[in-house]
Amino acid sequence: EKTPKTRTMTGIFDLIDRDGNGSVSKLDLIAAMQQDPSVSDFVLPGVDSSRLMTDEKCFDAVDDLWGAITGTKTRMSFADFERHFRQSMVDKTPKSKKCREVFDLIDADGQGSISKLKFLAAMQHNPRVDKFVLPGADSSQVMSNDWNFDAVDATFVSIAGGKRRINYTDFENHFRKVGGMQPAPRPESHRSRRRVLIIGPGFGREMNPRQGLMIEQAGFQVHWVLNIPNPEQPNFPVGPYLGNIKAEIDWFRPDVVAVASKGGVYAVGLWQTGCWRGPTLMINAHPMCKQLPQGMPVVLAHGANDEVYPAARDELESLVATGTPDSCFLYYTANSGQVSPGQFTREGDRHNMESLVVRDCIPRLLDAVLCPEGPEVHMVRTWGDRLSDGRMAAER
């Protein structure tokens, strides 16, 4: 007789579908797990199926499994069964194992589910949990820092999907989605086919309109998110407004999200909660941005003379280095050619970054973050387009 490890999914499903009608109920699954250990070992290894009707944790595990396979349906077909377990086999990676380990650290009492209070406590006191859930954030001050609290709170809401408690399936599904949303290779295409979603606050549509106007005039499809407040004060709670931005993202389906100045804190919140895991242009490195997300292209633009968010070049280079290699790029305008103390032949940008509105710069940065070969490759390649024919001829 075949062992559980060598049984095919068809064979296991046939043991559950004893009447052979091609679909099974939740009761059929419970009965098969109780009657045949090979079924239990296949569908829920490590769960004692003999205790299904006496142990709440065991029964909840079956209930969660049924929901993961069928969603809201009352019967499960073989196609549902095969799809779930084929994906489960693919997902037995170090990432999923780490996900299980982190969940168990949060669920220290082994209840099988996590409340928001338990989640907050783990984020505050366990650096390993904090690093996994919100990489780059320091949640040790979550109960005294409004921004940290809102980020953790928004993450719990995103994982729970409206429920008051998180089970392991919720937790794994969330981080599989967040970790798996890799930027797909994008073929070069005309700007008129590219969708740019601009976070309005901080971008200066009224006070400094030239940057947004240049993007619109370059031919991109542009949508402004304006139904959110300007995060002027420190520790602004972005969490309550991320849902508004996510709704705009779902409706517009952008290729790239662009933020500037104080609006950068919204990008950080979107990254941390998994609401946006695609190409991003950030103008001015926001102080709350401590680490770039993995697996997605980011272009960061900053000037040496930024009077609002001053940052040294080595700090910015270290920040960009936290992102995925060859997917992130620092556009930095520096002072050069000092002729006397405080006098330079060329001065780097201040906070408004005047250099972005000349030589097609902002559109090129958007093109760069969408380039499948990486943003730096695109910028190097297009530098030649800025030179005159005479200059190009002289350099040949």
Side-chain angles (χ1 to χ4, degrees), residues 188-189 191 194 220 360 362-372 374-375 378-379 382:
E188 294 290 344
S189 68
R191 286 173 177 170
R194 298 296 196 186
F220 293 102
D360 200 37
I362 287 188
R364 288 174 60 220
L365 292 178
L366 291 169
D367 291 337
V369 79
L370 292 167
C371 178
H378 178 84
M379 293 303 291
T382 57

Side-chain angles (χ1 to χ4, degrees), residues 284-285 292 300-304 309-322 330-332:
N284 317 118
L292 299 184
L300 177 65
H302 204 88
Y309 300 147
R313 180 169 185 162
D314 60 340
E315 296 173 348
L316 297 167
E317 290 176 341
S318 296
L319 173 60
V320 170
T322 64
L330 173 63
Y331 170 81
Y332 182 77

